[in-house]
Amino acid sequence: MEAIETFERQETVAVAGAEKRCYTVEDLQIILGIARGTAYKLLERHEFRWFKIGSTYRISKKSFDEWLDSKL
């Protein structure tokens, strides 16, 4: 009979630094279940605070979460 080695896997995920403070457009798509174009329309309407780094948008997590809570 052959011996089988078993290993226990730890289910913890190491996150670099603290909790996320900004979302990406892709994060909004996933959270809201919307298309990319719809996410950009929300940015255009200034529904929450965001800023741009180069060509990438970053959305304030706090501002977005407050906006989302007000919609629920």
Side-chain angles (χ1 to χ4, degrees):
M1 183 171 265
E2 192 174 315
I4 299 174
E5 252 184 284
T6 60
F7 298 94
E8 286 187 35
R9 183 174 168 202
Q10 294 204 5
E11 296 296 326
T12 58
V13 178
V15 177
E19 181 182 328
K20 266 184 154 179
R21 295 187 61 195
C22 295
Y23 289 130
T24 62
V25 170
E26 184 178 331
D27 290 334
L28 296 187
Q29 289 178 252
I30 293 167
I31 292 166
L32 299 174
I34 58 176
R36 184 177 173 149
T38 306
Y40 281 108
K41 285 179 185 173
L42 289 173
L43 295 179
E44 289 172 6
R45 293 191 334 217
H46 297 280
E47 293 288 341
F48 28 80
R49 290 191 310 269
W50 57 268
F51 57 97
K52 198 171 178 183
I53 300 176
S55 61
T56 305
Y57 291 89
R58 293 289 185 250
I59 297 94
S60 161
K61 180 183 183 308
K62 181 179 177 185
S63 174
F64 174 80
D65 290 345
E66 288 171 356
W67 172 83
L68 185 57
D69 288 343
S70 75
K71 300 295 181 188
L72 297 177

